[in-house]
Amino acid sequence: MKDHIVISRATIDRLPVYFRCLRHIQEEGAEIISSEDLGRRVGVTPEQIRKDLASFGEFGKKGVGYYVRDLIRNIGEILGLHRNWNIAIAGVGHLGWALANYRNFISLGFNLKALFDVDPMKIGQIVNGVEVFSCEKIPQIVDEYDIHIAIITVPASNAQSIANVLVECGVKGIWNFAPIRLKVPDDVRLVSEDLSVGLSSISYYLSREYKL
Amino acid sequence: MKDHIVISRATIDRLPVYFRCLRHIQEEGAEIISSEDLGRRVGVTPEQIRKDLASFGEFGKKGVGYYVRDLIRNIGEILGLHRNWNIAIAGVGHLGWALANYRNFISLGFNLKALFDVDPMKIGQIVNGVEVFSCEKIPQIVDEYDIHIAIITVPASNAQSIANVLVECGVKGIWNFAPIRLKVPDDVRLVSEDLSVGLSSISYYLSREYKL
């Protein structure tokens, strides 16, 4: 894999999509995939796919295509999925609970180590084998379990204060589901999830295809 | 707005991201934004943004930038958010429940009309003002409430059969959260959500920045 190269954010954001699609393709039993077929499935031009993957190294074979298993392993390494990150979820409401049971995280090598909530009724509960701790214990637990990434699913009103605590404790990655724009230091990687994006893209296509 | 033009899937998928970011920018009080500033915030090059938006029409003013409010309205129309789609959620587990309470859907003009589940304990319950109906009532309710888009949050084992029923009833858009690759007719717009994509991109950046 090439190193010390500048890669556009847009390319980085497409990699997990390729990774997800390639895993589907592998489940279907295919061993080789062309940039044309992969492009059709993820909605990206073959040129874009070749460009994206070429920026990391040589994964394809001219006239043959990409070896699915090799490409999955390579993209997995590029995405750092082999690092087995320890993650925690702050906010055990319905979304937090659903994410705690989301099997794809484990299949990607993420280790859910702890859950945090302020509700005394939830503290001490075990969700999918993981304990719910009081938010007051965040410093201790983050240190003890070496938490690298935190998922924030608390209400918008508490999201920034929880993020501040997590960052102070050394968490370097924040995945925010609260509908609010968080502020974090430059050395913390923040990704904000807007669940309405998927719905918006469906809306786009339907509004073109159906003049209801 | 231009019509009858071919737009790449990649562009379509970036529009909701622009839309989301522009709404943040509007909340912050800005009336004008340059493609450079917008690009920095969404992680896309200014050239890409100008190219994406130019494919729909002229929203910017050379040397000035884009008028935030106009651009939000225009992208909203492009995405068909003004169509006020009626949506339903099949599967009132934790994720379905969380989505039923997700305020961004309403703010985008989506109308949640019905929830479906097989659990007798859940049928008849009201979640965020919306009733949970038996899955057996899908044909009747989809017709009665003119449901255009369905969100599938049932277990993977039931996802395809529920999708089949919804499609038979005339639902034209499926947003699938079940970790399975669904098959739907070509005239149905399917978007599959893999919640691990956001986590993967955080993993990428951290694995580059921190040699733990």
Side-chain angles (χ1 to χ4, degrees), chain A residues 16-53:
Chain A
V17 179
Y18 298 160
F19 188 85
R20 172 187 62 186
C21 184
L22 285 162
R23 277 170 46 230
H24 286 310
I25 291 164
Q26 189 177 40
E27 286 164 14
E28 291 163 19
E31 295 182 352
I32 292 180
I33 182 98
S34 67
S35 50
E36 285 72 17
D37 291 342
L38 182 56
R40 230 188 321 281
R41 296 181 60 145
V42 298
V44 174
T45 66
E47 296 70 29
Q48 183 69 69
I49 285 175
R50 289 193 290 268
K51 188 163 164 288
D52 286 342
L53 299 180

Side-chain angles (χ1 to χ4, degrees), chain B residues 35-46:
Chain B
S35 49
E36 286 73 17
D37 291 343
L38 182 57
R40 230 189 321 280
R41 296 181 61 145
V42 297
V44 174
T45 65

